Amino acid sequence: DGGITQSPKYLFRKEGQNVTLSCEQNLNHDAMYWYRQDPGQGLRLIYYSQIVNDFQKGDIAEGYSVSREKKESFPLTVTSAQKNPTAFYLCASSGAHSLSGGYTFGSGTRLTVV
Amino acid sequence: EDKVVQSPLSLVVHEGDTVTLNCSYEVTNFRSLLWYKQEKKAPTFLFMLTSSGIEKKSGRLSSILDKKELFSILNITATQTGDSAVYLCAPAQGGSEKLVFGKGTKLTVNP
């Protein structure tokens, strides 16, 4: 079945450590996105990529980094520079230039800094 | 700056009630508006609206877009406890197809 997989579901990190969240899709979608969700808040865009080897900053990119070396994969690294990293992270994908079915979302990674 | 405002932020109703959720937006290069339902984790797609005045329906849910007033509503009739969720409104920007999300409306349906 086609879909988008995020791992791990739960992640604990000590302050000062970098951590990488995985996002893999087998939908043959060109575009992929990373959002952050805090309690009582909507989703805020961190980074997005419309094509392999290219990505753009979203609204809250500071303290995060991404790569897009393969069409299927769009990992997100939360660096020690991110001041408040505890949040729920959602990855999504869509066919480029076509939102007829909306984004497909992964089931998310809940990151807690201890 | 792009802005999406949803109201109310929270709503508690009884089963069988009808609810209307509101979404106003100001985004650059607007292309369409999407509604999502989020229960625990991943948001699930409900509707995409592109044209003004054309109602989209799916069972007890319906939605309409007003591109002149920059506004959309989501109606749920005969609510059930399974409708309890956060409903997210997200205008899409052309070109990048980025979605700009509102904070959501948390709907609680009591038996």
Side-chain angles (χ1 to χ4, degrees):
Chain A
D1 283 337
I4 185 165
T5 302
Q6 289 187 244
S7 61
K9 289 192 186 326
Y10 298 94
L11 188 57
F12 295 87
R13 184 197 104 177
K14 289 185 179 179
E15 278 192 36
Q17 290 180 338
N18 292 357
V19 64
T20 297
L21 282 58
S22 171
C23 178
E24 304 275 334
Q25 53 99 359
N26 60 4
L27 299 163
N28 200 33
H29 282 168
D30 290 305
M32 297 186 75
Y33 309 82
W34 273 105
Y35 285 88
R36 167 183 173 140
Q37 188 174 34
D38 294 284
Q41 301 291 321
L43 280 63
R44 291 184 291 166
L45 183 64
I46 304 172
Y47 269 97
Y48 65 103
S49 168
Q50 292 181 281
I51 196 168
V52 175
N53 292 322
D54 189 38
F55 48 83
Q56 285 77 40
K57 291 182 179 180
D59 301 317
I60 55 165
E62 186 175 348
Y64 299 97
S65 66
V66 294
S67 63
R68 187 88 187 276
E69 296 175 3
K70 298 187 299 182
K71 188 174 186 177
E72 302 79 21
S73 179
F74 191 40
L76 174 74
T77 296
V78 184
T79 75
S80 56
Q82 168 48 235
K83 292 186 176 18
N84 187 17
T86 295
F88 185 54
Y89 291 87
L90 281 162
C91 179
S93 68
S94 71
H97 310 299
S98 171
L99 273 177
S100 59
Y103 286 1
T104 300
F105 281 91
S107 54
T109 293
R110 191 167 297 279
L111 172 64
T112 303
V113 174
V114 297
Chain B
E1 184 183 329
D2 298 325
K3 190 166 66 171
V4 181
V5 178
Q6 291 188 245
S7 64
L9 291 180
S10 181
L11 189 55
V12 181
V13 300
H14 291 290
E15 268 193 316
D17 288 349
T18 293
V19 298
T20 297
L21 310 183
N22 305 299
C23 175
S24 66
Y25 64 90
E26 291 179 39
V27 300
T28 54
N29 199 19
F30 174 84
R31 183 197 282 272
S32 58
L33 186 140
L34 288 78
W35 283 95
Y36 284 87
K37 177 183 182 181
Q38 186 177 26
E39 292 179 81
K40 293 215 170 142
K41 292 187 176 177
T44 53
F45 173 76
L46 294 175
F47 296 111
M48 184 172 82
L49 303 156
T50 306
S51 302
S52 279
I54 298 175
E55 185 182 47
K56 290 224 171 173
K57 291 194 77 168
S58 176
R60 296 176 294 102
L61 277 66
S62 65
S63 184
I64 197 160
L65 174 67
D66 184 333
K67 288 167 75 172
K68 183 179 176 186
E69 298 297 328
L70 309 183
F71 194 83
S72 177
I73 61 171
L74 175 69
N75 280 320
I76 308 175
T77 60
T79 52
Q80 301 171 357
T81 55
D83 294 327
S84 295
V86 174
Y87 290 84
L88 297 165
C89 165
Q93 295 178 299
S96 66
E97 308 302 335
K98 286 191 299 178
L99 296 183
V100 182
F101 284 86
K103 291 185 178 181
T105 292
K106 183 177 180 181
L107 174 65
T108 302
V109 182
N110 290 324

